[in-house]
Amino acid sequence: MAEGGAGARAAAAPGAGPLAGVRVVELAGIGPGPFAAMTLADLGADVVRVDRPGGHALSAAPETELTNRNKRSVVLDLKSPEGVEAALTLVDRADVLIEGYRPGVAERLGVGPEACLARNSRLVYGRMTGWGQDGPLADRAGHDIGYIAVTGALGMTGPADGRPVAPANLLGDYAGGSLYLVIGVLAALHHARAAGEGQVVDAAIVDGTSHLTTMIQGLLAAGVWQDGRETNLLDGGCPFYGTYATSDGGFMAVGALEPKFYEEFIRLLGLPDEAPRRDDLAAWGALREAIAARFAARTRAEWTEVFEGSDACVAPVLSLTEAHTHPHLTARGTFVEHEGLTQPAPAPRFSATPTAVTRPPALPGAHTAEVARDWNAPGLPGTSLPGTGLPGTSPSGTPEGDQSTP
């Protein structure tokens, strides 16, 4: 049975935000699982990441792995009975567990839903995969680009006469994956506190990404969306919703959909009155050429100044580093610096329970003593890993079949 639980905490770890007091065990992985756990940590949950001896093949330097911020770490060997028992001791005291292994791997390791819920019946067990826990592809490896490919989402991106373009791994891993896992975990946590019973949350990137296309599927059913690239209002087919090159190689983004915003856009762009009408679809090609010619006549900085303070719905296309210093984002504190690392601030914002970056990325095994104390789990292994000086158990490789998500 669970020891402690939400109602009885022993010296809760420092934390702010609406999830303060919620305890989360994260079985270390890569990609959407860590991002989901970071989001819970940003919201104030006490997230303990169970790292494996030796780390992950695709991991960055732990000091800069920002998705491990606001967490604490212990190192456990889940291929050893001692490591599994130590992990289950944390489960006893947790509200939530997150894992991102292929289906069946957690069960084979002894930390699957049945074993964990037998120890803690109020536990929310969150599972993050690409294909889901069942279906013909459930056991296959995959990455973001494949998941969004089969949902139709990838097929909507890119030029009509070119290749589909994946928006890094933002659309599948994080929008269709991590954030849906967070939604599911929070909903199940609410149920657990109301009904006294935990449950399993099956968050599949293919499900979440498909869910994101709901509005587009509705437009398709209504006959007002064409099933192809650059043929619709929001996919680059519309000349007043897209990007245009400037004289210095930069780009401006235009989203002047509503007529009053379009009028402001055309006026500031300096297009003559004889420009093709926006409601003449046959003239959209000519209108796009006219807009492109105007943008190509000035630099990105010059056009930014032209549209500054207007309702024309035009913005410069910035790089990731340029975004750090955009005046609006600076004024809002959208990016923060913590211990020398510039990073996005936690989102969204709360009036009564504000959030913050309070800890740097967790170094593997750096918090074993803290966690043992704060979670009342004195049985956590505390020996040093050979050659690392990190607390944990003896290394014996990585869990089999890790991960179905990137």
Side-chain angles (χ1 to χ4, degrees):
M1 296 298 292
E3 297 181 22
R9 294 299 187 218
L19 294 184
V22 173
R23 286 178 171 171
V24 179
V25 173
E26 175 197 356
L27 301 184
I30 53 177
F35 187 85
M38 180 207 74
T39 301
L40 296 173
D42 283 353
L43 295 175
D46 182 7
V47 177
V48 172
R49 179 177 166 93
V50 177
D51 279 298
R52 65 185 60 177
H56 295 270
L58 296 181
S59 295
E63 296 83 1
T64 59
E65 204 157 345
L66 289 175
T67 55
N68 286 334
R69 73 185 186 192
N70 285 344
K71 303 176 184 178
R72 299 189 287 181
S73 169
V74 301
V75 172
L76 299 177
D77 179 8
L78 296 183
K79 285 194 170 181
S80 73
E82 297 80 10
V84 171
E85 180 56 34
L88 291 174
T89 298
L90 294 177
V91 167
D92 289 341
R93 295 150 172 80
D95 300 288
V96 176
L97 180 143
I98 289 176
E99 59 94 356
Y101 304 139
R102 293 199 205 190
V105 171
E107 285 84 349
R108 289 196 294 273
L109 291 172
V111 290
E114 185 175 352
C116 289
L117 286 165
R119 300 277 295 244
N120 181 351
S121 63
R122 297 170 62 93
L123 182 74
V124 172
Y125 193 105
R127 316 198 80 170
M128 181 76 262
T129 61
W131 304 115
Q133 295 297 315
D134 52 35
L137 295 177
D139 293 329
R140 302 280 70 82
H143 282 291
D144 172 287
I145 195 167
Y147 308 141
I148 67 174
V150 302
T151 66
L154 179 60
M156 294 192 295
T157 70
D161 57 354
R163 298 174 298 170
V165 179
N169 65 334
L170 300 178
L171 178 55
D173 277 358
Y174 299 132
S178 303
L179 297 186
Y180 276 86
L181 177 59
V182 170
I183 291 170
V185 162
L186 294 180
L189 185 61
H190 175 75
H191 170 80
R193 291 185 167 179
E197 63 176 358
Q199 61 181 303
V200 178
V201 178
D202 174 6
I205 294 173
V206 291
D207 295 346
T209 305
S210 296
H211 192 257
L212 290 171
T213 68
T214 300
M215 185 196 77
I216 303 299
Q217 291 282 1
L219 295 176
L220 186 65
V224 294
W225 187 276
Q226 304 303 310
D227 199 6
R229 296 193 297 280
E230 274 196 330
T231 58
N232 299 285
L233 193 66
L234 303 176
D235 66 355
C238 171
F240 41 91
Y241 196 91
T243 58
Y244 290 92
T246 57
S247 64
D248 59 346
F251 291 88
M252 299 295 290
V254 177
L257 291 176
E258 293 85 351
K260 64 178 180 179
F261 302 149
Y262 176 79
E263 292 174 8
E264 179 81 344
F265 164 61
I266 290 297
R267 181 183 68 81
L268 291 173
L269 190 64
L271 275 182
D273 294 338
E274 59 269 21
R277 291 170 51 87
R278 63 171 267 152
D279 54 0
D280 183 0
L281 271 62
W284 270 13
L287 178 58
R288 180 179 289 104
E289 291 178 2
I291 293 173
R294 288 296 300 149
F295 274 117
R298 297 189 187 183
T299 67
R300 189 187 70 177
E302 289 173 327
W303 283 119
T304 299
E305 184 176 358
V306 167
F307 289 104
E308 187 72 30
S310 76
D311 279 343
C313 301
V314 178
V317 178
L318 303 183
S319 71
L320 288 173
T321 51
E322 288 175 324
H324 296 170
T325 57
H326 186 275
H328 180 78
L329 305 186
T330 300
R332 283 185 57 80
T334 299
F335 289 92
V336 297
E337 183 174 326
H338 187 266
E339 297 197 9
L341 293 174
T342 300
Q343 55 198 284
R349 304 182 184 198
F350 300 85
S351 61
T353 54
T355 58
V357 177
T358 59
R359 289 180 177 268
L363 302 183
H367 307 100
T368 303
E370 279 187 27
V371 173
R373 178 197 66 211
D374 295 342
W375 285 44
N376 190 25
L380 290 181
T383 57
S384 295
L385 295 176
T388 68
L390 297 176
T393 58
S394 303
S396 64
T398 59
E400 57 181 314
D402 181 58
Q403 312 268 341
S404 67
T405 55

